Amino acid sequence: MMAVHEELQNVPPEKLVVEGVSKWFRTRRAAVHALDNVSLTIHEGEFVCLVGPSGCGKSTLLNIIAGLEIPDSGQVLADGKPVLGPGRERMMMFQESALFPWLDVMDNVLFGLKLKPNLKRKERREVAKYYLHLVGLEKFMAASIHELSGGMKQRVALARALAPNPRVLLMDEPFAALDALTREQLYGDIQRIWQERKKTIVFVTHNVREAACLGNRVVLFSPHPGRIQEKFQIDLPRPRDINSVDLAKYSSEIMSALKRHLNSELAEVAG
Amino acid sequence: MRRTLVVIAFFVLLLGMWEALVRTKIWSPVLVPSPLSVARYIKDGLQSGDLEHASFVTMRRLLIGYVLGLVFGLPLGLLTARFKSCEDTLGVIALGLQTLPSVCWVPLALLWFGQTEAAMLFVVVMGTLWSVVIATDNGVRTVPPIFARAARTMGSKQLHTWIKVIVPASLPFIVSGMKQGWAFAWRSLMAAEIYVTILSGFGLGSLLNYGRELQAMDQVIGIMLIIIVIGLLADKILFSPWERFLYRRWGTAKN
Ligand SMILES: Nc1ncnc2c1ncn2[C@@H]1O[C@H](COP(=O)(O)OP(=O)(O)O)[C@@H](O)[C@H]1O
Ligand SMILES: [Mg+2]
């Protein structure tokens, strides 16, 4: 019966499975429980937003999925195989663009491509151009990084992350440092690119509205120790506008859940 | 255009004043030669080939020693930045020796190597090496860790990350270390050449010293001018391209 039900649902395959991941950071003075037994399944083609106050382990979880950090217990499966280190299948984008200042825009995008085997020089350049075009910056191919605005830098970083054609894009508050107008443009771009390129995206933010605007699913985290509190399904058509009324409904729902959890935690501490 | 004119006018005026002062005969011409006699010395020296030869000898010592200093300094700096054990040993030595004025290596070099090319090379290498080690070490330490993380997610591994990310990211520091190393090497080589006669080749420093012994002030000043010109040219040829690159990419002010 169950099998039939699942067959008919036609759920896409599991892309990322986080299984009971815990992580401690031990410094000389204290030990921080960054993640406590976090489990999460992300399907192929999903756009999942991780949201929560700062310090609740969102970046840590993203780094573990990327393979940049190793969990103390539990594991992450990508396509069913345990993640043991970084891989081209999962590209990461950071809050600061992390672009390389000694390279021009083109060479930044080429950096990951050069590490990909079986590509000829000419093909690499073509691929890089395609992605620079996709983010609307092919005119700035020869520009230096310091000449770009914050929004342009994040676009180049996006092109660089997309260029090796990863199936999964991990984004750690990529728009947090940008002004509101630039951010709105990028919301549009990232949704368009996600649909066109059919990526699986895990997007970390502390901005609830941003999470509701971008995600098919919003996963709410709470701190001390980092845990998943609640998951929300956002059933809104795309492209979504961050200022729409429908969206406000979802974001206020998530916001009140966030406050409820924070209050109950405070009560716990007080009591 | 206007700027060039001002510059030309300034130097013509300067030479004119110099010549005029010499003609007043306030000072003995032995102590203050006329610009014309200095020019004559340089012209004769160039015609006989002595000046070219001396410049060549000096530049060869400098360049070979400098390149050796870089070739050893860069990897050593990477090692001290990467490994705690290297930092605590080599790094401490580098820090100490960098404070030693590099001309202080001359007596030791002479005792070890005698009056040979090797002694001169040693002085130049010591002048270069420690500045480069310290600068590379500092540079690597200031590289934001996020660069290496970003590179790792794109599939860059240990050695690739070092060569393609850490070293280029440290370039602003490395270039200023290279400049400092050059300055130290140049100064200490001149001191060494003035201080001792190296039979295998007379460099500019030796000629300068002979000028003193012969009381030939036109030679002394002529050689000093050539040393200045070489210094300026080296700066233009060796470092300007790097500085232009740094300026273009990092947008840092030229200094
Ligand atoms: N490298 C680290 N060393 C020590 N503590 C860390 C480290 N990285 C993160 N932490 C701690 O772990 C907790 C979770 O951090 P993080 O994952 O960055 O949270 P978020 O991204 O949700 O703001 C925080 O309390 C933070 O101080
Ligand atoms: Mg974070």
Side-chain angles (χ1 to χ4, degrees):
Chain A
M1 221 12 229
M2 196 59 208
V4 173
H5 182 72
E6 268 173 24
E7 273 304 317
L8 294 178
Q9 258 211 334
N10 196 17
V11 181
E14 292 172 352
K15 191 75 197 167
L16 296 168
V17 181
V18 179
E19 285 181 346
V21 161
S22 296
K23 178 80 183 175
W24 289 80
F25 287 109
R26 291 177 186 84
T27 55
R28 218 169 301 155
R29 268 182 287 123
V32 179
H33 201 177
L35 290 172
D36 179 30
N37 195 21
V38 169
S39 295
L40 179 66
T41 299
I42 295 166
H43 296 277
E44 174 97 58
E46 249 194 307
F47 198 140
V48 176
C49 290
L50 313 182
V51 65
S54 77
C56 64
K58 307 180 297 289
S59 297
T60 305
L61 180 59
L62 211 63
N63 286 332
I64 289 173
I65 295 174
L68 288 168
E69 307 250 23
I70 300 159
D72 291 325
S73 66
Q75 63 173 350
V76 174
L77 303 175
D79 294 316
K81 287 189 286 288
V83 169
L84 301 172
R88 254 188 296 279
E89 276 298 285
R90 286 159 283 119
M91 277 298 176
M92 183 122 175
M93 226 183 116
F94 306 90
Q95 179 173 347
E96 321 94 278
S97 66
L99 294 171
F100 301 146
W102 59 94
L103 300 174
D104 65 12
V105 166
M106 183 67 172
D107 281 333
N108 264 284
V109 178
L110 281 171
F111 188 93
L113 284 171
K114 285 184 181 162
L115 285 158
K116 209 173 170 179
N118 307 328
L119 269 178
K120 292 201 194 66
R121 204 185 119 79
K122 208 168 148 258
E123 295 167 338
R124 284 199 298 259
R125 291 191 71 85
E126 251 165 59
V127 172
K129 266 188 207 154
Y130 170 85
Y131 285 103
L132 280 173
H133 177 77
L134 195 67
V135 299
L137 285 179
E138 74 270 52
K139 282 210 199 86
F140 291 85
M141 244 164 46
S144 292
I145 301 307
H146 78 91
E147 296 165 333
L148 307 178
S149 69
M152 286 155 90
K153 280 185 193 153
Q154 286 305 53
R155 281 169 203 267
V156 176
L158 182 59
R160 179 172 79 170
L162 289 168
N165 205 17
R167 299 309 312 148
V168 176
L169 211 51
L170 306 170
M171 308 176 84
D172 193 355
E173 310 206 22
F175 307 149
L178 304 178
D179 62 274
L181 222 64
T182 312
R183 230 182 302 157
E184 271 186 44
Q185 286 176 347
L186 280 160
Y187 293 149
D189 289 342
I190 191 70
Q191 292 185 69
R192 173 174 57 85
I193 288 166
W194 168 71
Q195 283 177 318
E196 272 177 34
R197 303 295 311 166
K198 304 212 167 19
K199 303 289 180 196
T200 306
I201 298 185
V202 187
F203 188 104
V204 164
T205 174
H206 60 256
N207 181 336
V208 170
R209 221 183 158 100
E210 179 172 282
C213 174
L214 295 177
N216 301 63
R217 222 164 18 124
V218 173
V219 179
L220 179 61
F221 277 69
S222 66
H224 316 299
R227 279 190 191 135
I228 294 182
Q229 278 299 348
E230 239 177 287
K231 295 172 189 163
F232 302 84
Q233 195 77 31
I234 314 287
D235 296 313
L236 287 174
R238 293 191 191 259
R240 298 176 187 161
D241 176 11
I242 184 107
N243 299 313
S244 82
V245 184
D246 292 337
L247 204 102
K249 227 173 55 210
Y250 281 100
S251 68
S252 67
E253 184 192 345
I254 300 169
M255 202 64 196
S256 56
L258 177 71
K259 282 183 185 145
R260 201 166 57 240
H261 292 303
L262 282 180
N263 285 339
S264 71
E265 192 200 6
L266 286 179
E268 226 171 82
V269 173
Chain B
M1 193 56 211
R2 172 118 187 259
R3 261 177 88 190
T4 350
L5 281 179
V6 170
V7 171
I8 291 171
F10 172 75
F11 281 101
V12 168
L13 196 72
L14 201 66
L15 286 173
M17 275 164 60
W18 177 3
E19 181 68 37
L21 274 174
V22 170
R23 294 212 177 165
T24 60
K25 303 235 164 67
I26 304 176
W27 301 288
S28 141
V30 177
L31 292 183
V32 185
S34 86
L36 288 175
S37 69
V38 171
R40 201 174 313 119
Y41 166 76
I42 293 179
K43 186 172 141 268
D44 291 349
L46 287 174
Q47 258 163 14
S48 69
D50 289 351
L51 277 180
E52 287 97 328
H53 183 71
S55 306
F56 173 75
V57 167
T58 297
M59 289 313 288
R60 192 184 54 201
R61 288 172 182 157
L62 195 58
L63 283 178
I64 296 178
Y66 186 62
V67 168
L68 283 176
L70 286 185
V71 164
F72 287 105
L74 212 80
L76 287 181
L78 295 179
L79 283 178
T80 57
R82 171 70 180 78
F83 297 108
K84 200 92 192 120
S85 56
C86 293
E87 180 191 348
D88 296 338
T89 51
L90 236 161
V92 174
I93 291 180
L95 218 53
L97 292 185
Q98 201 226 4
T99 64
L100 184 72
S102 40
V103 61
C104 299
W105 288 102
V106 175
L108 182 142
L110 291 172
L111 287 175
W112 277 3
F113 300 102
Q115 284 161 266
T116 62
E117 285 300 306
M120 295 294 104
L121 276 183
F122 182 77
V123 169
V124 174
V125 171
M126 287 300 127
T128 311
L129 185 67
W130 309 113
S131 297
V132 174
V133 172
I134 300 285
T136 307
D137 179 278
N138 276 339
V140 169
R141 283 174 205 280
T142 54
V143 174
I146 195 152
F147 285 168
R149 289 165 82 85
R152 279 180 66 203
T153 61
M154 288 185 276
S156 173
K157 296 262 158 52
Q158 280 287 322
L159 190 63
H160 183 271
T161 308
W162 276 87
I163 294 171
K164 294 286 187 176
V165 180
I166 308 281
V167 171
S170 329
L171 261 185
F173 281 80
I174 294 178
V175 169
S176 72
M178 279 166 62
K179 276 191 85 157
Q180 194 187 51
W182 174 265
F184 286 175
W186 182 220
R187 283 157 179 68
S188 50
L189 177 64
M190 280 303 107
E193 284 189 351
I194 291 170
Y195 184 45
V196 277
T197 308
I198 304 296
L199 295 172
S200 50
F202 298 123
L204 289 169
S206 314
L207 288 190
L208 191 56
N209 196 37
Y210 295 149
R212 177 187 65 84
E213 284 174 1
L214 300 171
Q215 301 246 355
M217 207 53 185
D218 49 355
Q219 177 168 349
V220 169
I221 292 183
I223 300 284
M224 282 170 69
L225 285 176
I226 288 176
I227 291 175
I228 290 174
V229 168
I230 289 181
L232 289 175
L233 280 182
D235 206 63
K236 267 266 169 297
I237 295 168
L238 286 177
F239 300 113
S240 280
W242 288 106
E243 281 175 342
R244 273 201 303 276
F245 175 75
L246 293 186
Y247 179 70
R248 191 169 79 239
R249 285 285 183 255
W250 270 263
T252 45
K254 271 185 264 196
N255 44 1

